[in-house]
Amino acid sequence: MKSTTIAPTHPLADGRTSAAPLVQALRGDRPGRTPVWFMRQAGRSLPEYRKVRQGTDMLEACLRPDLASEITLQPVRRHGVDAAVFFSDIVVPLKLAGVGVDIVPGVGPVMDQPYRTADDVAGLVSRTLDHAALDPIREAVALTVAELGTTPLLGFGGAPFTLAAYLVEGRPSRDHLAARTLMHADPATWDALVTWTADLTGAFLRTQVEAGASAVQLFDSWAGSLSLADYTSRVAPASTRALAYVADTGVPGIHFGTGTGHLLPAMRSVLVSAGITDHAVGVDYRTPLDEAAALLPGVPLQGNIDPALLAAPWEVLEAHVRDVVARGRTANGHVVNLGHGVPPDTDPAVLTRVVELVHSL
């Protein structure tokens, strides 16, 4: 392994996770079995999650280390997936920096106000994320890694554009019109905002890695609303800045967005520009993996089971999973995942069966 800044006791450095199928696949190898995990595997689809979350709101659960660790571990125990994904939320760094934000059931993250003017943004970017504010994240990751053994923990963060879009819109949006307007109407204010969100996410990612995460994923949930020109000029530099926070650690990175088939090469370029040597590009369910592999020669891919088919008859889902795995063989490494998150009403037994199927192939 190349020289990195991670501690000798880190799971990648001491050998616990260095040979894990997920890590091998992200480094462009073909391990003995194809690794599989699911976005949003930790959470709402599991009855054990609903039980431990009872009476605790989402952000409180994210910031209680014992609870966040337990929720992270639940799908690994149940499904036998090849990675745990840290249970948190992309808006946690905003909350830790003092932004008024709540996750409203059935709606998503809602801000205390929309931040749409130069003065609004100037007030935001004057806030800092103190090292000590991230202590609950450090503790939760350390607790989790101690239990995982050879299974890697995947850290994650929200891409600067997606966080900025939430801040400007004030809540989830279908078209992110206000955010895209600010991007063009006041480029200096927009750049200040995404630089600030990049630094928040970068610190969040680095905290998880230093505490023991063996890989990271940057989620750009709303980047699909952008043109390629807007993405490359107004978004990609900030995403590069966020990922650069962990480049010197040597951990692999994944870059994922939804509706981003037209952005896949640009998203890969972000990983390269950030200095993330070992990396994969996440592909949502809209783009077949063999087509993505042709766009990204030599690049490992992650994806891309259609979440809608988790509720289809097993024979339909099985044929689809087999097709995804077959198309994934055209890429230089493949991590099986969904093309988006686990729907809340998914039968957990179906996910377990998918893991068993992928491992059997």
Side-chain angles (χ1 to χ4, degrees), residues 4-206:
T4 67
T5 59
I6 55 175
T9 54
H10 189 282
L12 277 180
D14 67 18
R16 273 176 288 167
T17 60
S18 56
L22 176 89
V23 173
Q24 290 186 58
L26 294 179
R27 290 182 168 156
D29 296 329
R30 282 286 174 177
R33 74 180 189 208
T34 302
V36 54
W37 68 279
F38 305 109
M39 288 179 278
R40 292 185 183 156
Q41 66 186 16
R44 53 198 186 173
S45 67
L46 299 182
E48 55 265 44
Y49 165 79
R50 293 191 291 272
K51 183 177 180 181
V52 298
R53 261 286 315 276
Q54 213 162 21
T56 308
D57 71 31
M58 175 65 179
L59 288 176
E60 182 187 350
C62 293
L63 294 171
R64 271 186 48 191
D66 59 334
L67 189 53
S69 177
E70 166 60 22
I71 293 169
T72 301
L73 293 165
Q74 286 176 347
V76 180
R77 297 189 197 114
R78 178 186 275 265
H79 303 311
V81 284
D82 294 288
V85 59
F86 183 54
F87 176 77
S88 192
D89 192 274
I90 64 170
V91 300
V92 163
L94 297 179
K95 183 175 179 66
L96 294 179
V99 177
V101 56
D102 190 23
I103 298 178
V104 178
V107 178
V110 176
M111 306 298 151
D112 53 354
Q113 66 169 82
Y115 294 85
R116 296 183 180 177
T117 69
D119 287 345
D120 290 340
V121 172
L124 266 183
V125 303
S126 67
R127 306 179 194 210
T128 57
L129 182 53
D130 293 332
H131 182 81
L134 289 159
D135 282 347
I137 308 304
R138 292 185 185 91
E139 185 179 345
V141 170
L143 286 170
T144 306
V145 169
E147 295 291 326
L148 282 172
T150 59
T151 301
L153 176 68
L154 189 71
F156 83 99
F161 171 73
T162 290
L163 285 181
Y166 275 125
L167 288 163
V168 176
E169 303 289 345
R171 60 193 299 116
S173 162
R174 290 176 61 184
D175 54 16
H176 315 101
L177 201 60
R180 292 189 290 120
T181 296
L182 179 62
M183 182 186 295
H184 292 280
D186 189 347
T189 294
W190 173 259
D191 289 346
L193 178 59
V194 289
T195 298
W196 183 73
T197 55
D199 289 337
L200 289 186
T201 288
F204 188 52
L205 290 173
R206 188 168 185 94

